[in-house]
Amino acid sequence: MSGLTPSQIAFFHENGFLVVPDYLTPTETASLVHETGALLENFDLSSHPLTQFTTGDDAKDNKPHVGDDYFLTSGDKVRFFFEPDAFSADPDPLTGKPALLKPKQQAINKIGHSLHTLSPPFQAITLSQRNADIARSLGFVDPRVLQSMVICKQPGIGGAVPPHRDSEFLYTDPPSAVGWWIALQDAGPGNATLGMFKGSHRGRKGGAVKRRFVRRVNADGEVTGTEFVANEGPGLPKGMQEDEDESQLPTDEELDILEVKAGSLVLIHGNVLHKSEKNTSPRSRYAYTFHVIEGAEGWDYDRRNWLQPPENGEGFSRLYQ
């Protein structure tokens, strides 16, 4: 692979996403599945704060979005976030803590957020020449990798992810995020695969970033969690025009439910609206995903974003070496 073909680039810009079959070899895919299994098996449950991953973005879910210290300091670590439905409504009578209904390996929502720097198998797949070539095809000048994670979508309890745009969570001024979403297991209708609203990244489809997911700060300057706020900066990437006429907002008829085989890559424009349903099937849907933002002069990564660069001063990982 040496970047994307002209037809692939055109499809991505037209639809806001692109499926690249056979991105990983079966051996590469198996190595990441094995690494995921080892991570799930070996993390220490006894010292875990039992942080649950919740979106706080669904009318049926009154829980606030996850925003504790375990989450906010995970940008340069490998941490484990539980599915809310993996816990009993009643606490463990011995410990007083929430009681798991499943073994820990089957209760995790996601593993994140710096697998690309701390796990050799994931690092090899992420910081690669082929990804640099893809980024160059998409016009990146100085692509930086951040927020790498395995989304587990556990059988029967894997939670829904409501419609959202990735640039809401990883905002640059102007927007620049692109997601690399790699199926580690087959994903299709019936096990909470991706649902993409085709073309919803464009201005005339309401594709501008109108809200931001940021750290919530109190009057004393202390971080107290996370929240959504209105976006006051540019809503679209450079070269894209906003349209105040919202009569062409994405509809359910434009929702494309993807069939993605293990080893395939889905590139996701940061402004495209997408979602996934709860996994009610008896099979898991492991996927590895990371995001790339523009790090060149003229694009600023916002200091209010929930995810901040590592404290070592090196910033997010450069894709061009």
Side-chain angles (χ1 to χ4, degrees):
M1 180 184 294
S2 180
L4 302 174
T5 67
S7 62
Q8 287 176 318
I9 296 170
F11 186 96
F12 177 80
H13 288 306
E14 175 67 20
N15 295 282
F17 69 94
L18 172 71
V19 179
V20 181
D22 302 320
Y23 166 80
L24 296 184
T25 67
T27 299
E28 289 173 322
T29 304
S31 74
L32 298 189
V33 172
H34 181 270
E35 174 74 352
T36 299
L39 291 169
L40 291 171
E41 180 69 31
N42 294 325
F43 83 90
D44 185 4
L45 185 61
S46 65
S47 60
H48 197 287
L50 302 182
T51 299
Q52 301 173 30
F53 184 80
T54 55
T55 65
D57 195 28
D58 192 322
K60 298 175 293 184
D61 180 5
N62 294 320
K63 291 185 178 181
H65 195 294
V66 61
D68 63 5
D69 185 69
Y70 185 81
F71 174 76
L72 290 173
T73 59
S74 63
D76 58 353
K77 300 175 181 66
V78 174
R79 287 186 168 165
F80 302 81
F81 302 91
F82 284 91
E83 287 283 0
D85 286 351
F87 292 92
S88 168
D90 300 315
D92 187 310
L94 297 178
T95 65
K97 295 181 178 181
L100 280 174
L101 297 172
K102 295 177 176 289
K104 65 173 187 175
Q105 300 90 331
Q106 300 171 25
I108 293 297
N109 170 292
K110 68 175 180 176
I111 309 170
H113 287 94
S114 198
L115 290 168
H116 69 284
T117 67
L118 299 174
S119 166
F122 284 105
Q123 182 180 56
I125 293 300
T126 310
L127 303 180
S128 66
Q129 183 60 50
R130 60 181 163 181
N131 287 332
D133 291 341
I134 290 173
R136 191 170 285 109
S137 296
L138 296 176
F140 279 95
V141 179
D142 182 10
R144 306 294 183 92
V145 177
L146 71 170
Q147 190 181 256
S148 56
M149 52 193 173
V150 170
I151 309 296
C152 296
K153 282 285 186 178
Q154 302 288 0
I157 63 169
V161 179
H164 67 283
R165 308 176 197 275
D166 289 344
S167 284
E168 297 171 347
F169 297 86
L170 303 170
Y171 183 77
T172 60
D173 178 356
S176 63
V178 174
W180 267 244
W181 190 98
I182 305 164
L184 302 184
Q185 297 172 328
D186 291 348
N191 76 328
T193 188
L194 290 174
M196 311 295 299
F197 290 88
K198 295 181 290 187
S200 60
H201 62 302
R202 300 194 297 271
R204 66 178 184 272
K205 286 291 186 179
V209 176
K210 296 181 175 62
R211 63 175 189 170
R212 301 257 319 283
F213 182 67
V214 301
R215 297 182 175 213
R216 185 175 62 244
V217 179
N218 65 18
D220 296 324
E222 299 172 327
V223 177
T224 59
T226 57
E227 63 182 343
F228 283 103
V229 298
N231 177 33
E232 299 176 352
L236 292 171
K238 288 184 178 181
M240 296 182 70
Q241 299 296 318
E242 294 192 33
D243 193 333
E244 295 182 358
D245 179 8
E246 296 187 346
S247 61
Q248 299 186 59
L249 289 176
T251 64
D252 287 343
E253 287 72 27
E254 295 168 296
L255 179 63
D256 195 351
I257 305 299
L258 301 188
E259 182 87 39
V260 190
K261 294 297 183 183
S264 296
L265 165 68
V266 183
L267 291 170
I268 304 174
H269 192 288
N271 284 54
V272 77
L273 195 66
H274 60 289
K275 68 174 185 174
S276 65
E277 301 298 337
K278 181 174 180 177
N279 186 8
T280 58
S281 80
R283 56 196 176 101
S284 58
R285 193 223 69 187
Y286 286 2
Y288 173 57
T289 183
F290 61 90
H291 291 82
V292 174
I293 58 168
E294 183 59 80
E297 184 176 353
W299 286 266
D300 295 320
Y301 187 78
D302 197 281
R303 294 182 178 180
R304 293 187 298 166
N305 287 343
W306 81 266
L307 179 69
Q308 290 299 308
E311 296 180 357
N312 60 19
E314 297 179 0
F316 296 124
S317 302
R318 292 179 182 270
L319 195 49
Y320 297 164
Q321 299 294 331

